Amino acid sequence: MAMRYLTARLAQQIDEELMSASGAFSIDQLMELAGLACAQTLATVYNREKYPRVLVCCGPGNQGGDGLVAARHLGMFGYKPTVYLPKPGSKDIYKRLATQCQNMSIPILTPSQATDVSPLKQALSQSDVILDAIFGFSFHPPVRAPFDAVLPLVTQSKLPIVSVDIPSGWDVEKGDEFGVGLQPDVLVSLTAPKLGVKSFKGRHFLGGRFIPKALDEKFGLNLPEYPGFSQIVELPSEGESQKL
Amino acid sequence: MAMRYLTARLAQQIDEELMSASGAFSIDQLMELAGLACAQTLATVYNREKYPRVLVCCGPGNQGGDGLVAARHLGMFGYKPTVYLPKPGSKDIYKRLATQCQNMSIPILTPSQATDVSPLKQALSQSDVILDAIFGFSFHPPVRAPFDAVLPLVTQSKLPIVSVDIPSGWDVEKGDEFGVGLQPDVLVSLTAPKLGVKSFKGRHFLGGRFIPKALDEKFGLNLPEYPGFSQIVELPSEGESQKL
């Protein structure tokens, strides 16, 4: 049975079910495990000796929260992360996660004017790899300010990119239909991959090892088996999975 | 510089600082990472082919919460955990963590009468390894009911034991001074080891990779370096560490 690629609506529904009274998860728990999986994916592909400086670009929502968690873990792993927050989130958990990064002496760049991209330009010139945690599965095109200025600069940097869940700018179900999205080298899907990344050609990992078997069966996810006690599993490349 | 062994008071102080407004961690986050470290430690030493049935014994406090998180992750790793709660905790997070185990179809044994040890006896006879998450660093001797009946039965089972933070029944600072505590084969210390386990002779791991460098320095912890992106690090055995 093939793994299921999720619509935006189904991804939302699974999240809600996990955090409902019966699912009993808190967002703190899920974000911690998701962000850890993102950090481990980046560390699996880009070693800290050659790629120590990670620019973690975060949006204002839960995806940005995953990025903040990942930044902290990357700091713990010995990387030199910098967090870029063109539009900081307003939720309490988001602020706490940002404080946790500050307590780790991780620089946080928040442009004084949202349209000022000079801090981003400078940060890109001093980075080895990008972690893209800008937009998640609740993104709806088009890309709005200030992110319409951010995405082209990230692309122009030619740095390797690890995207979280859905490459920023891509439609969650239709992919990069307008050609304005980032083109990551590595993707880490959370919980289950989304429809829009079905033809993604780079290295593709899955994280979010917290879906109970019953939920997997209820939604027919057919999640792959994770190895040992890892929090991530690499998915077969598009060509290989078609052979399966 | 040698790693610092903590008094109960200092362990408490570090926990409070992590969860203060300035530390900004929620208990959900810390418990998730602590429990994950416990599950990974058990999985490192006792593989799931030979030791699939894990009896996770939980106390009513935060240590028991770590155990519930560990039980869930062990289920995710392919083990067959059973949770034993002689005295279930009353905090909201404790109840949510127990629900998360139930959603994974992990059996939870809660004796109808706290002094009834027959469910424990039966569970021990059907287990391959014990995860001891009964008492943590806030334990003060003596061992009270119903745990005074639980500890001898666990010992008599002769099953391998992995203890969390402080083997149950041991004084946090003086160790097993009364000879009533469990004698684990493996210990996973959380954040930093406690004074009472300084002479522990089995395999000793450290988990809780979330202490910012500044906090490490403030308290002179001299935490060891964790390998790669692991959530645990094995500490040198007592003999080896004396040579360092």
Side-chain angles (χ1 to χ4, degrees):
Chain A
M1 290 282 283
M3 187 175 44
R4 183 166 185 183
Y5 285 75
L6 308 185
T7 60
R9 187 159 176 274
L10 186 52
Q12 177 68 30
Q13 200 180 338
I14 291 172
D15 249 30
E16 282 169 7
E17 188 139 336
L18 286 168
M19 289 189 277
S20 69
S22 63
F25 276 100
S26 68
I27 191 163
D28 294 55
Q29 287 182 283
L30 298 180
M31 225 173 238
E32 194 62 37
L33 295 174
L36 179 61
C38 296
Q40 292 188 337
T41 297
L42 187 141
T44 298
V45 181
Y46 300 103
N47 69 67
R48 71 178 185 197
E49 286 71 29
K50 208 171 154 193
Y51 301 90
R53 301 170 304 173
V54 185
L55 186 63
V56 182
C57 299
C58 299
N62 287 348
Q63 171 99 170
D66 296 341
L68 289 168
V69 172
R72 169 165 44 84
H73 283 293
L74 287 168
M76 283 288 164
F77 299 167
Y79 288 81
K80 303 279 175 215
T82 294
V83 169
Y84 180 60
L85 299 185
K87 189 178 169 187
S90 56
K91 278 191 193 171
D92 174 64
I93 186 172
Y94 195 99
K95 292 176 187 170
R96 285 193 288 105
L97 293 171
T99 301
Q100 290 164 26
C101 285
Q102 284 169 328
N103 290 346
M104 296 265 304
S105 303
I106 295 172
I108 299 190
L109 306 177
T110 48
S112 49
Q113 288 191 305
T115 50
D116 177 12
V117 291
S118 56
L120 174 60
K121 281 185 183 167
Q122 198 187 345
L124 286 167
S125 72
Q126 297 169 350
S127 297
D128 303 303
V129 55
I130 309 281
L131 184 65
D132 158 34
I134 297 176
F135 298 132
F137 67 72
S138 50
F139 169 73
H140 295 286
V143 178
R144 292 172 191 82
F147 299 101
D148 57 345
V150 170
L151 298 192
L153 285 174
V154 171
T155 295
Q156 286 158 29
S157 74
K158 310 275 187 202
L159 291 170
I161 299 173
V162 179
S163 281
V164 178
D165 215 28
I166 189 88
S168 291
W170 291 30
D171 184 276
V172 179
E173 297 179 3
K174 295 174 198 152
D176 193 22
E177 57 176 349
F178 300 114
V180 298
L182 298 181
Q183 299 301 326
D185 305 272
V186 178
L187 176 65
V188 49
S189 289
L190 297 174
T191 310
K194 313 303 169 292
L195 272 175
V197 302
K198 205 160 183 181
S199 59
F200 176 70
K201 303 237 173 358
R203 289 184 72 176
H204 190 178
F205 294 78
L206 181 67
R209 195 176 184 178
F210 44 63
I211 303 289
K213 194 77 198 154
L215 203 64
D216 181 324
E217 285 168 4
K218 174 176 173 181
F219 292 111
L221 302 180
N222 297 307
L223 293 174
E225 203 172 330
Y226 286 71
F229 51 80
S230 175
Q231 291 299 297
I232 53 173
V233 54
E234 185 161 8
L235 301 176
S237 72
E238 200 207 351
E240 289 172 64
S241 67
Q242 282 172 350
K243 279 185 279 173
L244 293 178
Chain B
M1 290 282 283
M3 187 175 45
R4 183 166 183 182
Y5 286 75
L6 309 184
T7 60
R9 187 158 176 274
L10 187 51
Q12 178 68 28
Q13 200 179 338
I14 292 171
D15 249 31
E16 283 169 6
E17 189 140 334
L18 287 168
M19 289 189 276
S20 68
S22 62
F25 277 100
S26 67
I27 192 164
D28 294 56
Q29 287 182 282
L30 298 180
M31 224 173 238
E32 194 62 35
L33 295 175
L36 179 60
C38 296
Q40 292 187 337
T41 297
L42 187 141
T44 298
V45 181
Y46 299 103
N47 70 67
R48 73 178 183 197
E49 286 71 30
K50 206 171 155 195
Y51 302 90
R53 302 170 303 173
V54 185
L55 185 63
V56 182
C57 299
C58 299
N62 287 348
Q63 171 100 170
D66 296 341
L68 290 168
V69 172
R72 168 165 44 83
H73 284 292
L74 287 168
M76 284 287 164
F77 300 166
Y79 288 81
K80 303 277 174 217
T82 294
V83 169
Y84 180 60
L85 300 185
K87 189 179 168 185
S90 55
K91 278 190 191 170
D92 173 64
I93 185 172
Y94 195 100
K95 292 176 186 170
R96 284 192 289 107
L97 293 171
T99 301
Q100 290 163 26
C101 286
Q102 283 169 330
N103 290 345
M104 296 264 304
S105 304
I106 295 172
I108 299 190
L109 306 178
T110 49
S112 49
Q113 288 192 306
T115 49
D116 177 11
V117 291
S118 57
L120 174 60
K121 281 186 183 167
Q122 196 186 348
L124 286 166
S125 72
Q126 297 169 349
S127 297
D128 303 304
V129 56
I130 309 282
L131 183 64
D132 158 33
I134 298 176
F135 298 132
F137 67 72
S138 50
F139 169 73
H140 295 288
V143 178
R144 293 172 190 82
F147 300 100
D148 57 343
V150 170
L151 298 192
L153 285 174
V154 171
T155 296
Q156 287 158 28
S157 76
K158 310 277 186 200
L159 291 170
I161 300 174
V162 178
S163 281
V164 178
D165 215 29
I166 189 88
S168 291
W170 291 31
D171 183 277
V172 179
E173 297 178 3
K174 296 174 200 154
D176 193 24
E177 56 176 350
F178 300 115
V180 298
L182 298 181
Q183 299 301 325
D185 304 271
V186 178
L187 176 66
V188 49
S189 288
L190 297 173
T191 313
K194 311 306 169 292
L195 272 175
V197 303
K198 205 160 183 179
S199 60
F200 176 70
K201 303 235 172 4
R203 289 183 72 176
H204 191 178
F205 294 78
L206 182 65
R209 194 177 184 178
F210 44 63
I211 302 290
K213 194 78 197 153
L215 203 64
D216 182 322
E217 286 169 3
K218 174 176 172 180
F219 292 111
L221 302 180
N222 297 307
L223 293 174
E225 203 172 329
Y226 286 71
F229 50 80
S230 174
Q231 291 299 298
I232 53 173
V233 53
E234 185 161 7
L235 302 176
S237 72
E238 200 206 355
E240 289 172 64
S241 68
Q242 283 172 349
K243 277 184 280 170
L244 293 178

